[in-house]
């Protein structure tokens, strides 16, 4: 799990989303997309970053900063 995915999962858990299915529902993305972001298999696109910011208040700068620190 990358730092980006760990940060995303942590923010999701703080909102009560403890599964990729719950994350997908809140983000408005397919289950597999949320699963891949949560496990670090894929990184969010710009549209995905915008959805994450709306849903979890996690800015793209915060996600990218934590990812760069790895």
């Amino acid at each position: 799990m990358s730092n980006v995915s760990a940060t995303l999962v942590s923010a999701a858990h703080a909102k009560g989303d403890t599964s990729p299915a719950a994350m997908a529902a809140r983000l408005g993305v397919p289950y597999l997309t949320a699963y891949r972001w949560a496990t670090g298999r894929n990184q969010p696109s710009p549209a995905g970053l915008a959805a994450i910011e709306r849903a979890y208040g996690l800015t793209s700068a915060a996600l990218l900063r934590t990812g760069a620190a790895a």
Side-chain angles (χ1 to χ4, degrees):
M1 182 180 291
S2 72
N3 282 343
V4 171
S5 61
T7 303
L8 174 58
V9 169
S10 178
H13 285 196
K15 290 275 191 170
D17 297 341
T18 57
S19 70
M23 289 174 59
R26 185 180 301 265
L27 291 167
V29 299
Y31 167 80
L32 281 177
T33 299
Y35 172 79
R36 289 174 180 149
W37 292 347
T39 59
R41 294 181 125 201
N42 289 23
Q43 297 299 314
S45 66
L49 291 170
I52 291 168
E53 186 168 356
R54 282 191 305 274
Y56 298 117
L58 198 57
T59 66
S60 57
L63 273 176
L64 297 175
R65 183 175 49 249
T66 59

